[in-house]
Amino acid sequence: MAQKIRIVLASHGKLSKGMLNTVQMLLGPQENIKAYCLMPEQDVGEFTKTLTEEVTTYGAENIVFLTELLHGSPFNCIVSLTRDYDIYHVSGINLAMLMGAIMERDDEGATPESVCQAALEAAEGSYQDVRKLLSAGDDDEEDDL
């Protein structure tokens, strides 16, 4: 059996570890997933070196990187790896995206491309202006009268 695609979360502060903790609460313990947190006192070069070790250990073709903020330092560290590696990377991660990526990679035949696509598709319905959503629901109830 082929090894599961590795998911690597990278964020400012402890966000990625918090997301990993939360997703494991919802989906159960996860294997082959790692969360890295760039802390204020940490050197960006060292953070990049740590992420490079992920790639050299597991292979760029077996990893999907997920970052929280487009053009943030963790994002930039991973983008810098594209000089030497063909990286799979999705930015703007939220919990729905992470869950979609995990569920896709658990499917037989999943590829890094399909994991990235599943993450993006999961995000599409994950954000709502709840006030407007509830207001639309009230309008529907009035239509039923």
Side-chain angles (χ1 to χ4, degrees):
M1 183 171 128
Q3 182 176 350
K4 252 187 214 185
I5 295 164
R6 186 166 180 81
I7 294 177
V8 176
L9 303 166
S11 71
H12 294 90
K14 296 181 182 178
L15 180 65
S16 60
K17 286 192 178 178
M19 288 183 80
L20 178 55
N21 181 289
T22 301
V23 82
Q24 290 189 109
M25 185 176 107
L26 297 169
L27 299 179
Q30 297 296 311
E31 295 178 4
N32 213 16
I33 186 168
K34 185 72 176 181
Y36 292 101
C37 304
L38 178 62
M39 302 307 287
E41 67 278 359
Q42 193 172 10
D43 178 71
V44 173
E46 282 300 310
F47 193 73
T48 302
K49 183 179 175 187
T50 300
L51 297 173
T52 303
E53 289 171 7
E54 280 284 338
V55 175
T56 58
T57 300
Y58 296 96
E61 69 282 1
N62 297 313
I63 298 173
V64 173
F65 287 96
L66 302 172
T67 55
E68 90 283 28
L69 186 63
L70 192 64
H71 302 297
S73 294
F75 170 94
N76 291 333
C77 290
I78 294 165
V79 168
S80 74
L81 298 178
T82 64
R83 288 182 223 132
D84 299 313
Y85 305 99
D86 188 17
I87 301 291
Y88 297 93
H89 179 192
V90 175
S91 190
I93 189 72
N94 65 28
L95 193 55
M97 290 175 79
L98 178 55
M99 290 173 66
I102 288 171
M103 290 187 288
E104 172 64 24
R105 69 118 187 226
D106 286 347
D107 286 348
E108 190 173 325
T111 64
E113 293 92 346
S114 70
V115 170
C116 290
Q117 186 61 39
L120 294 171
E121 288 172 4
E124 288 178 7
S126 70
Y127 48 87
Q128 295 286 327
D129 180 332
V130 177
R131 186 178 177 111
K132 288 180 182 177
L133 180 69
L134 294 175
S135 176
D138 290 345
D139 291 343
D140 291 341
E141 290 174 15
E142 288 175 13
D143 292 341
D144 292 340
L145 296 177

